[in-house]
Amino acid sequence: MSAISRVGEYTLLMKRACALPDRWSMFFRQYTREIVNLGIDSILIDIIISIFIGAAITIQTKSNMSNPLLPKYVTGLAVRDCLLLEFSSSVMCVILAGKVGSSIASEIGSMKISEQIDALDIMGVNSANYLILPKIMAMITVIPSLIIISAASGIVGGFMIAEFTDIISLHEYVYGIQYSFNPFFITYSIIKGLVFAFIISSVSSYFGYSVKGGAREVGHASTQAVVNSSVIILVSNLLLTKVLL
Amino acid sequence: MIEVQHISKSFHDGIKVLDDVSTYFETGKTNLIIGQSGSGKTVLMKSVVGIHTVDAGSILYDGRDITKMKDNEKKHMHREIGMLFQGSALFDSLTVLENVMFPLEMFSKAPKDEIQQRARECLERVDLTRAIDLYPSEISGGMQKRAAIARAIVLNPKYLFCDEPNSGLDPKTSLMIDRLIQEITHEYNITTVINTHDMNSVMEIGENIVFIYKGVKEWQGNKDEIYETGCQPLEDLVFASNLYKKIKEAHFALRK
């Protein structure tokens, strides 16, 4: 299928998905479930990855900034800006595209091949709206929290290096973290995260929804969902960075 | 009654799967669509339900043409339809009771107690009260079919469609499902359409049988008329096994 046909199909599916729900009570039930499945269940991996990356960035920055002319606080400052500007929004969303995207595509794909989606349609339920909209809204709701948690965890990772090793002093690190802080970076990070949350949930839902065949095709759709979401996130990241900064 | 008038359907490859099919499905009767694998019977059923859009022809549900309905009208029309899918199509994440409650929660404004009561009544009707708190993956294929029947009838549908209701079931459970569908059809005066190639079902509940061969309707009648159809492809299908050949011989011997 050509890329243009896919974009057309995706747009039509999103038009169906983004209609007003048939029953708000059912929507909120699904929405709450998705917040747990897609958001709360991702917190642990979000924290673990961010702590280790924060720690690694701290060690690397310190070891590559040995020039005595550079101020000592530069390591803390670099860690903070790396986390806020790129890692916690963009890289973390690419990682979430792997975890959440494959889960969404395989769940919807399995429902498709086992005729559960046909069953919804036959009942007169807008299946796209019932299944996809709560996932999109849940991702958009939880992503700002995931970004903040990731940035905070990354900073804690660096803090642990300062506290438990001789690589950098705690004072230098903490001073660098606080130095010349621009609050817009948080807004910027969250704006990017909201766009990426929509991309992850909608693109993965599209690949799941368009599955035809059996278990093999569900696996293929899941892979395609992750690959396409990741590529679209990276391209959008470039465009958003140019527009917002 | 559902009237199918001159419908044709082809897919992307251009091959006509249904070619000018006209038939009718009667109210209060079990209407069977039979045919060999690949004959077009599933496409016929899915076209009648509205899952497939037909290329030509009309499908009238008590005079209302579903092929001319707008999406919104079709959506409302679908609330009068119950469907039993080949693989049951129960929602994995919901228990049996929640599956049966689902259509009511979606479309009825009744309080939760009443919804639960109605769902329990339907589960009682299909003799499945002991499995209400189990998930579909925790119950047998026959129980899944019964749960799917309960879900299909919970909104008191006027039309019930069953796609291969006996597939994957042992003969005893299969017979039980057939009889249950027939009882429900008579009890609620529903227009039931069953897509099957199970000859036991044909002989047991075939009150109105439509035979499809290579996308064309070749014969229509009931189970008592099936012995003398004059339609060779139908006889080849129905009396393919030695058992049914012997039944046919016994039928003619008795008549003599």
Side-chain angles (χ1 to χ4, degrees), chain A residues 165-184:
Chain A
T165 68
D166 297 330
I167 296 170
I168 180 174
S169 79
L170 194 58
H171 173 74
E172 282 171 25
Y173 180 75
V174 173
Y175 185 78
I177 290 291
Q178 294 171 329
Y179 184 80
S180 186
F181 175 64
N182 182 356
F184 175 72

Side-chain angles (χ1 to χ4, degrees), chain B residues 121-164:
Chain B
E121 280 168 20
C122 290
L123 285 165
E124 216 167 283
R125 180 67 193 81
V126 299
D127 193 22
L128 204 63
T129 42
R130 68 200 160 95
I132 56 170
D133 292 325
L134 299 177
Y135 285 91
S137 58
E138 297 171 328
I139 58 177
S140 69
M143 288 164 98
Q144 286 183 14
K145 294 275 174 175
R146 281 188 278 154
I149 292 172
R151 187 178 67 181
I153 62 170
V154 75
L155 281 175
N156 290 319
K158 285 169 130 179
Y159 316 96
L160 178 64
F161 291 87
C162 309
D163 187 16
E164 308 268 7

Side-chain angles (χ1 to χ4, degrees), chain B residues 31-43:
Chain B
N31 303 274
L32 269 60
I33 304 173
I34 62 168
Q36 285 178 302
S37 301
S39 59
K41 59 185 191 302
T42 301
V43 176

